[in-house]
C-alpha cells in the first residue's frame, strides 16, 4: 500500500514490531534517548493504547476472550483514537513518534495468528488511517518499521521467565509461527518501510543494528 506522503512538517513516525519475546521494547527507550540527545522532541507511545480510551480497549483486548473480528475492530477503534488524539498532533508539531506496535501487529496477530480476513483488515486500515493533516487525505503509516525477527521457539524460551502471560503471550508456539509469517508477508509488501532486525543476537548487537538503521535514514548522526 502506498503511503502517499511522508509525515510532513518534519515529523517522523517509527513503529516497533515483532512477536512477543522478540525484545523490541528495551530498544524503544534507547532510541528515544539517542534522538533527544540530538535535539529531537520524541513522543513514546504504544498500541493498543496511547490514549485513555485506547488503554481501556487494550485491557479488554489483552484479557477478555473474544472472536477475531471483535479483536480487530477494537484494535482499530483504539488506533483511530490514538491517531486523532496523539499521533497526528505530535507529527504536526514536528516530533518523532516512537510507537510500540502499530497496524502490522494487527495483520500479524489477528490476520496471521487468528486467521482473520486480510482483505477486511486492509479495508479497516484505509478507513482508520486516512487522515487530513494539511487538508488533503493521506494514508498514515509509519515512515519506518523496525521488525525484530526472532525464531518463535527462542521467543517462547525467553517468555517462560517473564511475568504472568497475557492472552496472546499464553498462545502456543504454532500461533507465533503464524504471527511471524504475517510479519514476513507485511515486509514483502512494503520492503522500503520495513527494516528487519535480527533479534537472535546480544542486546548490544541488536542495538547497533537499530542505530545503524535509523542513521541510514538520516534521522540520527
Ligand atoms: P506488547 O506490545 O507485547 O506489550 P507488553 O510488552 O506490555 O506485553 O503487547 C501487546 C499485545 O497485543 C501483543 O501480544 C500483540 C497484541 N496486539 C494485537 O493482537 N493486535 C494489534 O493490533 C496490536 C497493536 C497488538
Amino acid at each position: 500500500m502506498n503511503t502517499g506522503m511522508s509525515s510532513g512538517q518534519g515529523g517522523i513516525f517509527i513503529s516497533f514490531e515483532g512477536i512477543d519475546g522478540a525484545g523490541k521494547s528495551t530498544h524503544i527507550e534507547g532510541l528515544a534517548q539517542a534522538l533527544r540527545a540530538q535535539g529531537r522532541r520524541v513522543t513514546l507511545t504504544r498500541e493498543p493504547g496511547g490514549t485513555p480510551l485506547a488503554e481501556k480497549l487494550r485491557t479488554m483486548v489483552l484479557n477478555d476472550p473474544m472472536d477475531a473480528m471483535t479483536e480487530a475492530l477494537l484494535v482499530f477503534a483504539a488506533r483511530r483514537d490514538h491517531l486523532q488524539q496523539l499521533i497526528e498532533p505530535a507529527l504536526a508539531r514536528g516530533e518523532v513518534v516512537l510507537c510500540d506496535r502499530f497496524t502490522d501487529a494487527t495483520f500479524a496477530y489477528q490476520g496471521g495468528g487468528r486467521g482473520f480476513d486480510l482483505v477486511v483488515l486492509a479495508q479497516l486500515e484505509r478507513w482508520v488511517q486516512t487522515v487530513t493533516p494539511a487538508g488533503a487525505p493521506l494514508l498514515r503509516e509509519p515512515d519506518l518499521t523496525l521488525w525484530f525477527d526472532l525464531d518463535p521457539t527462542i521467543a517462547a524460551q525467553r517468555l517462560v521467565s517473564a511475568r504472568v502471560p497475557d492472552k496472546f503471550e499464553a498462545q502456543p508456539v504454532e500461533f507465533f509461527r503464524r504471527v511471524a509469517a504475517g510479519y514476513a508477508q507485511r515486509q514483502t509488501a512494503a520492503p522500503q518501510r520495513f527494516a528487519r532486525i535480527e533479534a537472535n543476537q546480544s542486546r548490544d548487537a541488536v542495538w547497533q543494528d537499530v542505530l545503524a538503521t535509523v542513521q541510514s535514514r538520516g534521522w540520527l548522526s
Side-chain angles (χ1 to χ4, degrees), residues 66-72 105-121 168 171 174-182 185:
M66 59 186 75
D67 84 327
M69 187 193 292
T70 308
E71 227 167 69
T106 313
F107 279 84
Y109 281 78
Q110 280 66 51
R114 306 267 273 131
F116 187 66
D117 191 334
L118 298 179
V119 175
V120 176
L121 292 183
F168 294 103
Q171 292 291 322
E174 296 75 47
F175 176 85
F176 288 106
R177 288 199 198 291
R178 296 197 298 276
V179 173
Q185 211 174 326

Side-chain angles (χ1 to χ4, degrees), residues 20 24 47-48 58 79 101 106 109-110 163 168-169:
D20 290 272
K24 65 186 161 49
E47 287 216 344
R58 176 189 179 93
R79 184 160 300 133
R101 301 189 183 281
T106 313
Y109 281 78
Q110 280 66 51
R163 64 240 139 121
F168 294 103
E169 289 163 346

Side-chain angles (χ1 to χ4, degrees), residues 16-27:
F16 294 70
E17 298 282 1
I19 60 172
D20 290 272
K24 65 186 161 49
S25 300
T26 52
H27 299 291

Side-chain angles (χ1 to χ4, degrees), residues 28 64 84 90 96 101 114 117 138 141 171 184 201 217:
I28 301 177
D64 297 343
Q84 297 283 357
V96 182
R101 301 189 183 281
R114 306 267 273 131
D117 191 334
L138 72 91
E141 284 192 313
Q171 292 291 322
Q201 305 185 78
R217 303 283 172 133

